[in-house]
């Protein structure tokens, strides 16, 4: 059985250090280090890459929060100050990817830098960061699934349970499922696909997008807090689109690289 020890890691007087923030900061730092290392391995100057990556992180945080807020406007219109309380959770990865590409990718395009190669370098860092960041959901008692009695069940306190499941104590740890899947995707990217797809810039990023989307589609189906557009789970719809883009885009980029 899994049970969160609480959202707060350390309290020093008026300063509160939350696990969510610590994990996010650690994931971003590790991601930047991996990107710097991969850029050098590829023979690219890492300095402009890091500048683009820093902007992508900023765009990603803003995009992830705005995406989440847009699909929870009923709540945030009542409590507008909560929009800025990112340490309490509420970051949507699809919005983060969009925001990161817009700001970081836009900067790279403006500077005439190799945008597609930068995306390939970012892909392993991004999915590893997601694997780490999902544990923030564990400490916050959020992003869990439907009730279950499996041995790895997750205990959720009564105040965090959805009203329809108030009598249930144990739920699917969807944060764990997604974290493990993201870890596997990271290993596949760096051990199987990175060198093979190196001649086709952009293909590794699309491979990340497709593989991540497969796992997210299934974990999202278990979630009790899915962002909805009518009766459709938004993340599942976006995941289907992500898989489709990867299935079409990767072969096209590979064929183009071979033809060139």
């Amino acid at each position: 059985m899994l049970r969160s020890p609480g959202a707060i890691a350390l309290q020093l007087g008026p300063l509160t250090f939350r696990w969510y923030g610590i994990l996010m900061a650690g994931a971003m730092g590790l991601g930047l280090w991996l990107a710097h290392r991969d850029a050098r391995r590829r023979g690219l100057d890492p300095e402009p890459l890091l500048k683009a990556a820093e902007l992508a992180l900023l765009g990603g945080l803003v995009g992830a929060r705005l995406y989440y807020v847009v699909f929870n406007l009923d709540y945030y219109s009542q409590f507008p100050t909560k929009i800025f309380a990112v340490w309490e959770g509420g970051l949507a990865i699809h919005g983060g990817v969009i925001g990161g590409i817009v700001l970081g990718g836009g900067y790279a395009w403006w500077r005439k830098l190799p945008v597609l190669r930068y995306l390939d370098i970012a892909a392993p860092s991004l999915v590893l960061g997601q694997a780490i960041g999902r544990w923030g959901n564990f400490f916050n008692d959020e992003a869990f699934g439907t009730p279950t009695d499996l041995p790895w069940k997750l205990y959720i306190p009564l105040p965090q349970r959805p009203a329809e499941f108030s009598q249930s104590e144990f739920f699917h740890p969807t944060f764990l499922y997604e974290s493990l899947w993201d870890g596997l995707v990271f290993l596949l990217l760096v051990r199987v696909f990175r060198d093979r797809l190196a001649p086709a810039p952009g293909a590794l990023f699309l491979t990340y997008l497709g593989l991540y989307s497969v796992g997210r589609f299934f974990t999202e189906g278990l979630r009790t807090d899915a962002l909805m557009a009518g009766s459709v789970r938004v993340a599942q719809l976006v995941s289907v689109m992500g898989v489709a883009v990867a299935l079409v885009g990767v072969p096209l980029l590979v064929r183009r690289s071979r033809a060139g």
Side-chain angles (χ1 to χ4, degrees), residues 167-183:
Q167 301 304 310
S168 300
E169 291 185 311
F170 303 105
F171 298 79
H172 278 285
T174 48
F175 83 90
L176 177 61
Y177 302 160
E178 191 166 331
S179 180
L180 292 173
W181 177 256
D182 291 345

Side-chain angles (χ1 to χ4, degrees), residues 203 205-211 213 239-253:
F205 180 82
L206 291 184
T207 300
Y208 146 74
L209 182 64
L211 290 174
S213 295
S239 293
V240 169
M241 295 169 60
V243 171
V245 169
L247 288 175
V248 173
V250 172
L252 283 176
L253 291 171

Side-chain angles (χ1 to χ4, degrees), residues 21 38 44 52 83 92 96 121 131 150 194 201 224 226 233 237 248:
D38 194 28
L44 296 174
I83 292 175
I121 291 172
L150 291 170
R194 185 164 61 184
T224 59
R233 292 175 180 253
L237 176 61
V248 173

